[in-house]
Amino acid sequence: MKNITVLILALTLLAIGCTKQTETFKLTKGTPAYQLALDLSKTLPSLDPENDFVIVSTHGFSVSAAEVTQALHDNMGSQTDQLKGMALDQLEGIIIQNAERMAERKLLLKAARDAGTELAAGDVESALNDQYLRVGGEEQFRQMLSQSGVSLDNVKANIETDLTIQAYLESYMAELIQVSEDELRIAYEKDKTASVRHILILTQGKAEEEKAEARKKMEDLLARARGGEDFAELAR
């Protein structure tokens, strides 16, 4: 799914290249999200709600620090208190990750709407009922939201967005990958045995610079393997 998302993200960036830039989101004074931004700006000054700091910018929209802070408050509620005690690099990483995720969702949602993707009646409620079942019923779910300071409307909106994007990606891939009956028959009749070899480079717990270096190394190895170099030698 990550690969598909990156592909669609790149295509959609091109598709919205000529659209008009929208106004930068701002927080409203006196709201909990505004206060959260003030508190977090003591650690990360760019989160000051009086600033118009933009984290992600495209020709069609921008994702500001204020918008990310609002989303964090809406989705985490009282759990945002955990952010206030974080170190600068940890808080900065969370803000950037959420900004990137918001940008991806905006791009994919626009692509879905442009493609005419629509949900069936009852899809959102069905997904919401699944959430109820996981915690023991609707009442328990509502209590949990109330205790955490998250609104049910926000949960529904997120579910609708996620389902719309999922439906769009499934439709996109279905059109992209079309397999004929002959191809299916040949694949079925082929020998089912196979051997697989891997070259793995661990990136868990590493800094972004180290991850970028590891990715470049893997791309170089892949290019060399495709060029005919001995795989075992490359692995060593």
Side-chain angles (χ1 to χ4, degrees):
M1 175 64 78
K2 180 62 176 177
N3 291 337
I4 297 173
T5 301
V6 172
L7 170 65
I8 304 301
L9 176 60
L11 293 176
T12 313
L13 273 169
L14 295 174
I16 66 172
C18 297
T19 57
K20 185 179 179 181
Q21 179 74 35
T22 57
E23 187 176 348
T24 303
F25 178 90
K26 293 184 179 181
L27 293 169
T28 303
K29 272 189 177 181
T31 62
Y34 187 95
Q35 185 59 50
L36 174 63
L38 278 178
D39 293 338
L40 296 181
S41 68
K42 296 174 184 176
T43 303
L44 188 58
S46 57
L47 296 181
D48 188 326
E50 293 302 318
N51 294 338
D52 293 329
F53 187 76
V54 173
I55 303 174
V56 178
S57 180
T58 75
H59 292 293
F61 67 86
S62 63
V63 177
S64 66
E67 189 172 6
V68 174
T69 306
Q70 182 70 59
L72 286 172
H73 174 268
D74 292 343
N75 296 328
M76 296 177 64
S78 58
Q79 291 183 343
T80 53
D81 289 340
Q82 301 171 10
L83 303 175
K84 299 173 186 178
M86 287 184 174
L88 173 60
D89 59 341
Q90 190 177 9
L91 177 60
E92 189 175 43
I94 288 175
I95 297 299
I96 291 174
Q97 286 174 5
N98 278 271
E100 290 175 346
R101 181 172 180 271
M102 288 181 69
E104 285 186 357
R105 283 164 62 84
K106 283 187 175 186
L107 288 168
L108 288 167
L109 187 59
K110 183 183 186 308
R113 287 171 174 166
D114 289 347
T117 305
E118 294 183 358
L119 299 178
D123 279 356
V124 174
E125 288 302 321
S126 177
L128 194 57
N129 286 330
D130 289 340
Q131 297 290 326
Y132 295 158
L133 292 175
R134 291 176 185 175
V135 296
E138 180 177 354
E139 184 177 348
Q140 287 83 347
F141 186 79
R142 288 178 177 272
Q143 285 180 354
M144 182 181 68
L145 292 182
S146 178
Q147 291 169 0
S148 62
V150 176
S151 75
L152 183 60
D153 286 342
N154 185 66
V155 172
K156 287 182 177 180
N158 281 332
I159 289 176
E160 183 174 5
T161 297
D162 289 341
L163 290 178
T164 301
I165 291 173
Q166 180 181 336
Y168 167 67
L169 290 177
E170 289 175 353
S171 174
Y172 179 90
M173 292 307 298
E175 293 178 6
L176 189 65
I177 304 174
Q178 296 184 3
V179 183
S180 68
E181 290 187 12
D182 287 341
E183 288 173 317
L184 288 174
R185 178 181 53 78
I186 292 171
Y188 179 78
E189 293 174 352
K190 275 187 177 179
D191 184 6
K192 304 300 189 297
T193 61
S195 61
V196 180
R197 294 181 295 178
H198 304 275
I199 297 177
L200 302 177
I201 297 179
L202 296 179
T203 59
Q204 185 174 2
K206 293 185 181 295
E208 290 301 320
E209 295 81 5
E210 293 176 297
K211 290 180 180 179
E213 184 178 346
R215 180 179 179 84
K216 184 179 184 305
K217 186 173 182 179
M218 290 302 294
E219 289 173 346
D220 291 342
L221 287 170
L222 178 59
R224 291 169 62 186
R226 286 175 172 171
E229 289 194 43
D230 183 79
F231 188 89
E233 286 298 326
L234 292 175
R236 278 193 289 270

